[in-house]
Amino acid sequence: MMKRTGQLLCCLALLTGSVQPAISQQKKNREIRYWLTSPDKSIALQQQATTLPFTTQDKNMATIEVDAATKFQPIDGFGFTLTGGSATLINQLPAAQQDALLKELFLTKGNGIGISYLRLSIGASDLSASVFTYDDIPDGQTDPELKHFNINEEKKDLIPVLKKIVALNPAIRILGSPWTPPAWMKTNNSFIGGSLKPEYYGAYAQYFVKYVKTMKAAGITIDAITIQNEPLHPKNNPSMLMLAEDQAIFIKDHLGPAFKKAGVKTKIILYDHNCDKPEYPLTILRDKAAYPYIDGSAFHLYGGTIDALSIVHDEFPAKHLYFTEQWSDGKGSFSHELKNNVSKLIVGATRNWSRNVLQWNLAADAHWNPHTDQGGCSQCLGGITIDGQSISRNSSYYVIGHAAKFVPAGSVRIASNIAGPLDNVAFLTPGGKTVLIVVNTDAAAQDFQIKVKNKAAAASLRSGEVATFVW
């Protein structure tokens, strides 16, 4: 009987072509494919030739159990800040090389890492070659009607590069963050420090409206904005101090109503600073007049611990969380940056409700340029280094790649347990794939099993290795 059944299946396969794909799909569901990066970079986001078979045998070892039935937050994407300096470096590449690089960065096919979320600076950041805003006028003058507003500086490099990126991935999410308003709006009339003058709150709200609409006219949709990058760090170049109470007033009395009146759907995100001050966004979220205009809160991790995101989530579960910046140290080691940023960001931020993870920044040159003087970051390592026409890939390229390539926007975080030093996070993709990202933070190799219901697959990671498992 078994022989005849097999013969019948073969005949049906020849007639319909439907059985072999079904058998192949069943086989794929019984095994795990995985991609690996080693701390010495000898293996770099490389698919392994072997697969890990699921069996019904429990292997009595450390276990990461994945439960797709328990779902948490949706994912908006993974990526970088496309600084002005990054755009300049990319835009100066020869056309064919630039095209190949952008496909590698923003598509998933072949060696592509599939970046799905970008952060931009609204005006200059500290990783721009010089400081500018979109309404710079001579000292002593003001422009409350924003008659001089323009994005001409962005038309040199940023807009051309962004247009190519959007052509490759029209669904990419883009977040805008200002480092400073125009100096004439500030208490010290300077790009560095100072605060926003209350009499210009209305003008600054219109500045955001103009930014969103002008970028839209250039073909760039701004999905969200934060109101001030690092509002408690007024010593960067550029920068501004903005206390939580002032941000609340700005949102409820000016920016929120201005967006509503102008029909702007761009999300308003709070804070955009370190995890050591969750009380900053909480103060604003507790303001009942500001609350309806707010989509969520954004964090960096140069201070505090990543569970600050959960503190905010627990009090305001209807509002979203975002992780918008963490650098990689140009003087640090590949192994340290890889392990720490996968553990704290890809795993840590998403397990604490973040809908995205962004590293700082996409590209720098071999000397960590460009950056501003008097405070600009002088050793921020890009995801890639562009040295003339030579391109190298650094730790954050692989940190983000291990997630972005396999976890598209619209995926959902699902339950998985932490097994000893095996920090991990799991996702269910819109296509029904399960993705598990694991980093071995221990000094020794770790053998473990991945368990799904009554099936288990054995795996092993050496110290510091990162793996993305897909089934």
Side-chain angles (χ1 to χ4, degrees):
M1 186 65 179
M2 290 293 290
K3 184 176 180 181
R4 289 186 63 191
T5 301
Q7 290 171 340
L8 178 60
L9 286 172
C10 288
C11 291
L12 285 171
L14 290 171
L15 290 170
T16 68
S18 62
V19 173
Q20 187 59 41
I23 292 172
S24 297
Q25 186 61 45
Q26 289 172 8
K27 182 180 178 182
K28 287 181 180 179
N29 290 339
R30 292 198 303 265
E31 61 188 20
I32 299 173
R33 296 175 298 145
Y34 68 109
W35 285 254
L36 195 65
T37 299
S38 60
D40 63 2
K41 207 178 175 183
S42 59
I43 305 170
L45 196 55
Q46 181 179 324
Q47 183 175 1
Q48 300 304 288
T50 58
T51 57
L52 308 177
F54 275 117
T55 71
T56 56
Q57 179 184 0
D58 191 312
K59 296 162 182 65
N60 193 28
M61 59 175 64
T63 301
I64 298 173
E65 190 159 1
V66 179
D67 177 13
T70 303
K71 296 180 173 65
F72 300 96
Q73 80 276 19
I75 296 299
D76 287 345
F78 298 89
F80 291 88
T81 300
L82 178 66
T83 58
S86 297
T88 298
L89 290 166
I90 292 169
N91 204 36
Q92 72 184 13
L93 291 170
Q97 188 178 22
Q98 182 183 146
D99 180 65
L101 175 63
L102 291 176
K103 287 178 178 176
E104 176 188 338
L105 292 172
F106 294 96
L107 299 179
T108 57
K109 186 178 180 181
N111 66 339
I113 63 169
I115 292 169
S116 50
Y117 204 119
L118 284 175
R119 181 177 181 227
L120 311 176
S121 60
I122 300 176
S125 75
D126 61 303
L127 292 189
S128 296
S130 61
V131 179
F132 64 91
T133 73
Y134 302 141
D135 199 321
D136 295 329
I137 54 178
D139 287 348
Q141 298 183 21
T142 61
D143 183 25
E145 296 180 2
L146 304 178
K147 293 178 180 179
H148 298 283
F149 182 96
N150 69 84
I151 61 166
N152 293 340
E153 196 66 30
E154 308 293 25
K155 294 177 181 178
K156 298 174 183 176
D157 296 309
L158 183 70
I159 298 295
V161 171
L162 275 174
K163 284 184 174 181
K164 293 171 185 175
I165 291 168
V166 170
L168 291 171
N169 180 5
I172 194 165
R173 302 281 183 114
I174 299 175
L175 165 71
S177 301
W179 266 238
T180 183
W184 56 266
M185 291 187 183
K186 299 171 70 176
T187 54
N188 64 350
N189 198 40
S190 171
F191 289 129
I192 301 174
S195 298
L196 184 65
K197 289 182 177 181
E199 60 262 38
Y200 292 128
Y201 278 25
Y204 196 38
Q206 291 303 318
Y207 183 91
F208 280 99
V209 171
K210 281 184 172 287
Y211 169 70
V212 171
K213 290 192 169 185
T214 305
M215 292 294 278
K216 183 69 174 178
I220 311 300
T221 299
I222 303 300
D223 180 68
I225 57 95
T226 63
I227 294 158
Q228 174 61 42
N229 171 71
E230 299 190 344
L232 300 178
H233 177 35
K235 296 182 179 180
N236 200 358
N237 184 18
S239 61
M240 183 177 76
L241 176 68
M242 184 179 243
L243 301 179
E245 294 80 2
D246 297 325
Q247 194 163 114
I249 293 168
F250 180 67
I251 291 168
K252 67 183 179 182
D253 294 339
H254 302 280
L255 184 62
F259 271 17
K260 185 176 181 180
K261 184 178 180 180
V264 171
K265 303 299 184 185
T266 298
K267 303 179 183 81
I268 296 173
I269 299 175
L270 307 175
Y271 191 39
D272 209 7
H273 207 171
N274 289 334
C275 288
D276 56 352
K277 299 290 183 183
E279 61 270 23
Y280 188 112
L282 287 173
T283 296
I284 305 171
L285 289 165
R286 290 168 187 155
D287 188 314
K288 292 182 180 179
Y291 182 91
Y293 296 115
I294 298 164
D295 173 81
S297 307
F299 286 86
H300 306 175
L301 193 57
Y302 305 112
T305 54
I306 198 66
D307 58 358
L309 280 68
S310 285
I311 293 172
V312 178
H313 172 268
D314 290 348
E315 186 168 343
F316 295 99
K319 297 300 184 182
H320 300 149
L321 278 301
Y322 301 90
F323 190 87
T324 49
E325 183 184 317
Q326 185 69 18
W327 78 322
S328 289
D329 186 357
K331 297 181 180 179
S333 69
F334 179 89
S335 59
H336 176 82
E337 297 294 325
L338 176 74
K339 179 179 70 175
N340 271 22
N341 286 329
V342 171
S343 175
K344 292 180 179 179
L345 310 185
I346 301 299
V347 174
T350 55
R351 290 185 78 100
N352 283 279
W353 299 97
S354 184
R355 297 168 73 96
N356 71 346
V357 174
L358 306 179
Q359 283 230 238
W360 171 262
N361 59 310
L362 182 57
D365 73 11
H367 304 287
W368 310 312
N369 290 317
H371 59 81
T372 60
D373 298 328
Q374 304 176 48
C377 182
S378 59
Q379 61 187 69
C380 284
L381 181 67
I384 57 173
T385 296
I386 300 178
D387 186 10
Q389 294 181 29
S390 174
I391 299 171
S392 55
R393 292 143 191 85
N394 303 317
S395 58
S396 59
Y397 173 97
Y398 299 102
V399 170
I400 295 300
H402 265 281
K405 186 176 180 71
F406 309 99
V407 185
S411 299
V412 178
R413 180 170 70 90
I414 57 176
S416 66
N417 63 294
I418 300 292
L422 296 167
D423 288 352
N424 69 83
V425 64
F427 304 94
L428 186 64
T429 74
K433 296 288 187 184
T434 300
V435 179
L436 176 68
I437 302 169
V438 186
V439 54
N440 177 11
T441 63
D442 199 63
Q446 298 291 315
D447 297 326
F448 60 101
Q449 63 179 351
I450 300 167
K451 193 171 184 180
V452 182
K453 294 182 179 178
N454 63 342
K455 301 181 298 181
S460 181
L461 288 177
R462 294 179 297 172
S463 175
E465 282 188 328
V466 175
T468 299
F469 300 94
V470 181
W471 65 93

